[in-house]
Amino acid sequence: MKCGRCSKPAVLHITELRQGEVQAIHLCEGCAKDYLSHSQASKGDGNPLLENETEEASLEELDQKTCPNCGIAFKEFRSQGRLGCPHDYVVFEEEILPLLENIHGDTTHLGKVPVRSPQASQLQFQLIKLRNELRLCIEEERYEDAARVRDSIREMEEMEHQTAPPTQADDTP
Amino acid sequence: MDLESLTRTSGEWLKATGPDSDIVMSSRIRLARNLAQFPFPSRADDSVRAEVDELLKTQLAKHPAGRKLNYIVVSGLELLDRQMLVERQLISREHSESHGQRGVGISDEENVSIMVNEEDHLRIQVLRSGFALDDCWQEINAIDDAIEADRTYAFSDRLGYLTACPTNCGTGIRVSVLMHLPGLVHTKEITKVFQALQKINLAVRGLYGEGSQAMGDFYQISNQVTLGKSEEQLIRTIKDVVPNIVSYERRVRQELVSKNRRGLHDQVSRAYGILKTARTISSEETMDLLSSVRLGINLGLIDDMEIPLINELFVHTQPAHLQKIRHEKLETVDRNVARADYIRQRLNERR
Ligand SMILES: [Zn+2]
Ligand SMILES: [Zn+2]
């Protein structure tokens, strides 16, 4: 992703809360330094992301909000500018819609629609969730659990294959 | 696909065969797509990345829409090889510098490249010589359909194709044209073009280098919005504006010729002369001089050189290509010598 102020690669991704509106800012190293020193100087509280204390409280709460499937917290999205999985668009809908409105001036898709699956299904979200569990099992060296989770993933993948014939319109439960 | 032999060839899109290719170097469309049942690449651990890579590699081996693709495991390449693919516009800088299992499927003519595990699971790109966005769209749409017939994409009725970064959500499309605009740069009227494009929400950036002064006078114009408009609408916005820029550039060129033909002829001939004789040359100066020579050929002021070779030199004189050609790692000073050698050889072999 490119810096929003020049064309260098962006290294800092900030989601700013302004008058209740969420705004994504992507900056390169140079512009980021500039941005940070500028906003620190103007606000004096050392935190460029916050407008006032009320928003600080709600932002902290918001930061804790986590996707049950991929495990990403809103805070991580805010700092990296990348979402963790397709389901995040549902989990963080309230925050992402104003962001999309800001970027695109619109929040409704008008283009191409896949023939096969108009909706990311619950089954697929479930798969992402299991993969996240698998990752945690392995990290925590719980290998028996990991094997069990892996089996469930295989089973679900089989199901996914069977429930999505090319002509089907919608496989969402 | 043999990476070593790439230094002796160039992509089809550099051959200047397309419409208006004297000014529109290339047209490009890319689509961002994700598989519904996996986390996005940045959230995927090594085993998930490997699984996605394996899955999509197999998918691409089925020749989507009849396209034979050579799959290159980018994560298994040396830095120099990855940089060479970046210089050829086959992968992004981010894809080169990323980590974890990832790859790219490339067609023989280098018109199609499909990155796997970039920011999104799939970044499909189709490139064409000249002003040929409809061709790009037809082809990329067919490839996308073919992959989608087998795999379930992350998609929502309301928000369209779901991407790792909300800036690409919706159509996931980036439509761009690469334009050579030495006339507008020379007369400084390029700023007017910039302002007009910004007003209609199109982004302009230099192809090489940073900031407003693009190296080689190449500018890439692309859409920023991806949600709320159809692919056709987004393509049309660019299709409508490009002919105006093309005729603006043509008009400025003709004015330059009619006002000061001798001066211009002198300038492009000197540029040509330096390229044919220099013993050491920087990348910046090379771009600058190649741009003059390209203009000179298109205006008929230079008649013993062809555009495709000049186009190729823009790519082959970049750092990774030079080092691959020489089969050795070279520091800047030595690269400048190697670059001058290479250009002399290529330009003089044509005589
Ligand atoms: Zn910047
Ligand atoms: Zn998620």
Side-chain angles (χ1 to χ4, degrees), chain B residues 22 253-254 257 261 264-265 268-269 272 292-305 307:
Chain B
D22 55 333
R253 288 183 185 187
Q254 283 317 317
V257 173
R261 188 187 169 92
L264 193 63
H265 198 173
V268 301
S269 303
Y272 194 26
S292 285
V293 171
R294 199 177 189 278
L295 177 66
I297 300 170
N298 280 328
L299 290 175
L301 300 170
I302 294 173
D303 57 11
D304 64 344
M305 184 50 58
I307 292 289

Side-chain angles (χ1 to χ4, degrees), chain B residues 28 30-34 41 52-53 56-57 60 69 71-72 74 85-86 89-96 98 101-106 112-125 147:
Chain B
R28 179 217 307 251
R30 78 106 165 99
L31 295 174
R33 297 288 188 257
N34 287 282
V52 170
D53 184 62
L56 290 172
K57 181 179 159 181
L60 299 187
L69 297 165
Y71 198 79
I72 297 173
V74 174
L85 295 178
V86 174
Q89 303 202 38
L90 295 170
I91 66 172
S92 62
R93 194 164 296 283
E94 290 75 12
H95 201 47
S96 163
S98 173
Q101 197 166 318
R102 62 198 189 281
V104 61
I106 301 169
V112 180
S113 94
I114 305 182
M115 287 186 275
V116 172
N117 277 338
E118 208 244 22
E119 183 180 299
D120 297 296
H121 294 141
L122 279 169
R123 284 289 180 96
I124 311 169
Q125 159 184 295
I147 297 172

Side-chain angles (χ1 to χ4, degrees), chain B residues 255-323:
Chain B
E255 276 167 22
L256 287 173
V257 173
S258 59
K259 266 192 215 143
N260 185 9
R261 188 187 169 92
R262 188 171 296 157
L264 193 63
H265 198 173
D266 181 65
Q267 188 213 318
V268 301
S269 303
R270 280 168 184 270
Y272 194 26
I274 291 172
L275 287 171
K276 282 199 285 191
T277 54
R279 297 278 147 177
T280 169
I281 192 164
S282 70
S283 179
E284 288 83 353
E285 189 181 5
T286 303
M287 296 280 168
D288 207 33
L289 298 177
L290 283 173
S291 174
S292 285
V293 171
R294 199 177 189 278
L295 177 66
I297 300 170
N298 280 328
L299 290 175
L301 300 170
I302 294 173
D303 57 11
D304 64 344
M305 184 50 58
E306 290 143 19
I307 292 289
L309 175 57
I310 299 300
N311 286 352
E312 188 171 302
L313 285 177
F314 277 106
V315 175
H316 285 195
T317 56
Q318 290 184 54
H321 272 80
L322 282 176
Q323 295 175 77

Side-chain angles (χ1 to χ4, degrees), chain A residues 1-163:
Chain A
M1 187 187 304
K2 300 279 175 302
C3 172
R5 296 186 181 176
C6 65
S7 61
K8 292 181 197 159
V11 294
L12 185 74
H13 308 278
I14 300 165
T15 307
E16 193 165 307
L17 217 55
R18 279 244 163 101
Q19 280 112 42
E21 290 227 323
V22 185
Q23 203 179 359
I25 305 172
H26 309 282
L27 298 170
C28 71
E29 210 170 342
C31 295
K33 272 186 195 142
D34 208 53
Y35 170 87
L36 291 171
S37 61
H38 179 79
S39 38
Q40 266 169 20
S42 65
K43 283 165 201 155
D45 64 359
N47 191 337
L49 303 175
L50 308 172
E51 288 283 288
N52 57 48
E53 278 173 28
T54 344
E55 281 182 0
E56 184 168 8
S58 65
L59 192 64
E60 246 167 55
E61 210 172 285
L62 178 61
D63 273 350
Q64 304 305 318
K65 208 184 218 181
T66 300
C67 169
N69 293 333
C70 72
I72 198 171
F74 188 73
K75 188 180 183 167
E76 291 171 88
F77 165 57
R78 211 159 56 80
S79 67
Q80 295 156 11
R82 301 280 190 290
L83 293 160
C85 82
H87 189 52
D88 301 354
Y89 282 94
V90 178
V91 180
F92 307 130
E93 188 182 14
E94 262 174 68
E95 293 75 34
I96 287 180
L97 286 181
L99 189 68
L100 290 172
E101 178 70 47
N102 242 313
I103 300 168
H104 303 284
D106 212 313
T107 56
T108 311
H109 177 57
L110 249 189
K112 188 174 174 178
V113 173
V115 190
R116 192 167 185 265
S117 60
Q119 204 113 44
S121 72
Q122 291 306 312
L123 192 65
Q124 285 143 1
F125 288 155
Q126 199 63 32
L127 271 166
I128 292 172
K129 187 175 185 168
L130 286 172
R131 286 204 171 88
N132 190 47
E133 265 179 52
L134 180 64
R135 181 173 60 88
L136 291 175
C137 289
I138 293 170
E139 265 173 27
E140 292 161 14
E141 302 185 356
R142 292 185 282 120
Y143 296 114
E144 270 172 41
D145 291 345
R148 199 171 37 77
V149 174
R150 192 172 286 130
D151 287 346
S152 320
I153 291 176
R154 295 279 170 268
E155 262 170 51
M156 294 202 75
E157 276 180 335
E158 296 268 295
M159 273 166 65
E160 204 248 344
H161 230 75
Q162 286 157 9
T163 53

Side-chain angles (χ1 to χ4, degrees), chain B residues 111-290:
Chain B
N111 273 348
V112 180
S113 94
I114 305 182
M115 287 186 275
V116 172
N117 277 338
E118 208 244 22
E119 183 180 299
D120 297 296
H121 294 141
L122 279 169
R123 284 289 180 96
I124 311 169
Q125 159 184 295
V126 170
L127 266 165
R128 279 277 186 283
S129 165
F131 186 30
L133 286 172
D134 288 332
D135 289 352
C136 291
W137 172 239
Q138 270 176 21
E139 170 142 34
I140 202 166
N141 196 24
I143 292 172
D144 185 46
D145 284 346
I147 297 172
E148 197 258 320
D150 286 341
R151 314 258 54 121
T152 309
Y153 283 151
F155 183 88
S156 105
D157 280 339
R158 173 163 188 194
L159 298 176
Y161 294 92
L162 303 174
T163 51
C165 183
T167 50
N168 298 312
C169 175
T171 54
I173 199 173
R174 189 78 70 224
V175 183
S176 62
V177 286
L178 181 60
M179 304 188 76
H180 186 224
L181 303 171
L184 291 169
V185 172
H186 186 87
T187 59
K188 302 200 164 57
E189 289 180 62
I190 190 82
T191 49
K192 286 186 203 161
V193 175
F194 273 31
Q195 285 158 2
L197 292 173
Q198 266 158 12
K199 269 190 201 138
I200 53 171
N201 264 325
L202 296 180
V204 192
R205 64 179 190 94
L207 176 60
Y208 310 104
E210 277 137 19
S212 55
Q213 177 68 39
M215 271 157 70
D217 307 320
F218 283 105
Y219 291 89
Q220 187 158 283
I221 296 162
S222 62
N223 65 304
Q224 287 176 295
V225 165
T226 57
L227 180 64
K229 291 195 169 64
S230 70
E231 291 82 358
E232 285 82 3
Q233 283 176 304
L234 292 166
I235 292 167
R236 188 163 315 121
T237 308
I238 300 220
K239 264 181 72 178
D240 285 349
V241 79
V242 168
N244 297 332
I245 305 172
V246 168
S247 55
Y248 195 3
E249 170 70 20
R250 289 228 167 90
R251 198 166 66 235
V252 167
R253 288 183 185 187
Q254 283 317 317
E255 276 167 22
L256 287 173
V257 173
S258 59
K259 266 192 215 143
N260 185 9
R261 188 187 169 92
R262 188 171 296 157
L264 193 63
H265 198 173
D266 181 65
Q267 188 213 318
V268 301
S269 303
R270 280 168 184 270
Y272 194 26
I274 291 172
L275 287 171
K276 282 199 285 191
T277 54
R279 297 278 147 177
T280 169
I281 192 164
S282 70
S283 179
E284 288 83 353
E285 189 181 5
T286 303
M287 296 280 168
D288 207 33
L289 298 177
L290 283 173

